[in-house]
Amino acid sequence: MVDRQEINYRKIQEAIQFAIDNYIKQPSLEELAEHIHLSPYHFQRVFSKWAGVSPKKFIQYLSLQHAKSLLLADKTAMETYIEVGLSSSSRLHDLFVQTEGMTPSEFKNKGKNLVIRYSSILSPFGRVLIASTDKGICFMAFYEDYVEEVNNLKASFPNAAFMEVSPDGFQDIGRLFEMRSMEARSIKLHLKGTPFQLKVWESLLKIPEGRLVSYSYIAGEIGNPKAARAVGTAIGNNPVAYLIPCHRVIQSSGMLGGYKWDLGRKACMLGWESARASLLERK
């Protein structure tokens, strides 16, 4: 069953994708609204409720991401922020994540003896399938087809036992998507990956909300500056959407790059996080 929030997001995603595709033309509010067959008034109202800012301001946030990425060239305050895992005194980086890699036997046996519980929640960016072991979140993915995504989950751990549970068990994750949320949280991840992948994913966790880094920057952070391509592959294999913020990594040129859960969704997430960061800075 599709609810109103999900319908609104799909329309917003379509409008944002249109804005990205026609960025040089700087589409107006009327053009964005017309593209998704809404009146300008209704589009402005729906968009502002979702993003916390007007469509015009949101597009500005997306544009600013390119300028922010240039800060990486001289590694100013960004380097310090990432090093300590904090963004600023305004508590923008309110997500504290602990990671634990699966044991060699769990990795080798593809989840044998693991019990994995899973369910679906609705986020501002569409529906999310979440799964966890007793040790922490092991899988999180945006999806369009629930059955297909559950099959993807089971293929990742072919020897595990699975239990579908109530979404109530993942309420803490749901609260992360609140626009005005400032409550610090602790979330544990239980990840299946190679030592190199785990190193890359742990580096991603240091990127504060509202900030961006490049693939080459992450390669440097893990002590292998020539491994930008391998870093990109590891980022593409991220098993936990949003919590491991691979959406905050872009190309050195300032272009968004790719995103396994849809490039339009990546743009939505970056603009939404910038809007939330701006909102929290004013508090």
Side-chain angles (χ1 to χ4, degrees), residues 32-47:
L32 292 172
E34 182 180 2
H35 180 71
I36 58 173
H37 311 294
L38 293 179
S39 70
Y41 170 79
H42 186 55
F43 174 64
Q44 172 105 354
R45 186 172 63 83
V46 169
F47 194 103

Side-chain angles (χ1 to χ4, degrees), residues 2-68:
V2 179
D3 68 11
R4 177 56 57 183
Q5 181 181 351
E6 190 170 3
I7 292 172
N8 287 344
Y9 167 69
R10 289 180 180 178
K11 286 186 173 294
I12 289 166
Q13 183 184 28
E14 186 179 350
I16 290 172
Q17 187 62 59
F18 176 76
I20 293 171
D21 294 341
N22 297 275
Y23 173 71
I24 295 178
K25 299 177 182 178
Q26 288 288 291
S28 65
L29 172 67
E30 289 74 19
E31 289 172 320
L32 292 172
E34 182 180 2
H35 180 71
I36 58 173
H37 311 294
L38 293 179
S39 70
Y41 170 79
H42 186 55
F43 174 64
Q44 172 105 354
R45 186 172 63 83
V46 169
F47 194 103
S48 298
K49 182 177 181 181
W50 175 81
V53 295
S54 68
K56 181 178 179 180
K57 191 72 173 178
F58 190 91
I59 299 302
Q60 288 175 352
Y61 283 141
L62 288 181
S63 300
L64 285 174
Q65 303 305 325
H66 300 287
K68 288 180 180 179

Side-chain angles (χ1 to χ4, degrees), residues 187-218:
I187 293 176
K188 294 183 179 180
L189 304 180
H190 190 201
L191 303 177
K192 182 185 75 170
T194 65
F196 180 82
Q197 287 174 328
L198 291 171
K199 198 171 184 180
V200 170
W201 298 338
E202 288 173 352
S203 182
L204 298 181
L205 291 171
K206 297 178 183 179
I207 308 172
E209 183 171 287
R211 303 282 176 174
L212 292 175
V213 301
S214 68
Y215 296 95
S216 58
Y217 187 87
I218 293 294

Side-chain angles (χ1 to χ4, degrees), residues 11-238:
K11 286 186 173 294
I12 289 166
Q13 183 184 28
E14 186 179 350
I16 290 172
Q17 187 62 59
F18 176 76
I20 293 171
D21 294 341
N22 297 275
Y23 173 71
I24 295 178
K25 299 177 182 178
Q26 288 288 291
S28 65
L29 172 67
E30 289 74 19
E31 289 172 320
L32 292 172
E34 182 180 2
H35 180 71
I36 58 173
H37 311 294
L38 293 179
S39 70
Y41 170 79
H42 186 55
F43 174 64
Q44 172 105 354
R45 186 172 63 83
V46 169
F47 194 103
S48 298
K49 182 177 181 181
W50 175 81
V53 295
S54 68
K56 181 178 179 180
K57 191 72 173 178
F58 190 91
I59 299 302
Q60 288 175 352
Y61 283 141
L62 288 181
S63 300
L64 285 174
Q65 303 305 325
H66 300 287
K68 288 180 180 179
S69 69
L70 298 178
L71 292 174
L72 297 175
D74 54 14
K75 297 185 180 179
T76 56
M78 172 74 77
E79 193 169 42
T80 302
Y81 291 147
I82 292 177
E83 209 170 284
V84 301
L86 297 173
S87 58
S88 72
S89 59
S90 62
R91 295 182 64 196
L92 299 183
H93 189 54
D94 64 351
L95 178 62
F96 179 67
V97 181
Q98 295 177 310
T99 64
E100 179 176 344
M102 293 193 175
T103 65
S105 62
E106 288 171 335
F107 188 97
K108 180 180 179 181
N109 296 328
K110 301 179 180 179
K112 186 178 181 180
N113 299 323
L114 285 179
V115 176
I116 297 178
R117 298 167 179 82
Y118 67 92
S119 192
S120 171
I121 67 169
L122 182 60
S123 80
F125 317 109
R127 293 198 172 273
V128 189
L129 181 68
I130 309 175
S132 68
T133 68
D134 289 338
K135 294 181 181 179
I137 303 296
C138 63
F139 183 93
M140 186 164 164
F142 297 101
Y143 69 87
E144 301 299 329
D145 186 311
Y146 179 72
V147 173
E148 180 181 353
E149 200 56 49
V150 170
N151 287 336
N152 290 338
L153 164 64
K154 292 181 177 180
S156 299
F157 302 92
N159 296 326
F162 292 88
M163 294 176 55
E164 187 172 16
V165 299
S166 166
D168 294 343
F170 296 104
Q171 285 184 344
D172 285 347
I173 305 297
R175 283 194 287 268
L176 293 175
F177 296 111
E178 296 172 3
M179 174 58 73
R180 297 177 179 272
S181 175
M182 293 183 66
E183 178 186 353
R185 310 179 165 78
S186 179
I187 293 176
K188 294 183 179 180
L189 304 180
H190 190 201
L191 303 177
K192 182 185 75 170
T194 65
F196 180 82
Q197 287 174 328
L198 291 171
K199 198 171 184 180
V200 170
W201 298 338
E202 288 173 352
S203 182
L204 298 181
L205 291 171
K206 297 178 183 179
I207 308 172
E209 183 171 287
R211 303 282 176 174
L212 292 175
V213 301
S214 68
Y215 296 95
S216 58
Y217 187 87
I218 293 294
E221 284 295 299
I222 64 172
N224 200 343
K226 295 183 179 180
R229 186 179 296 273
V231 163
T233 300
I235 289 174
N237 288 323
N238 172 19

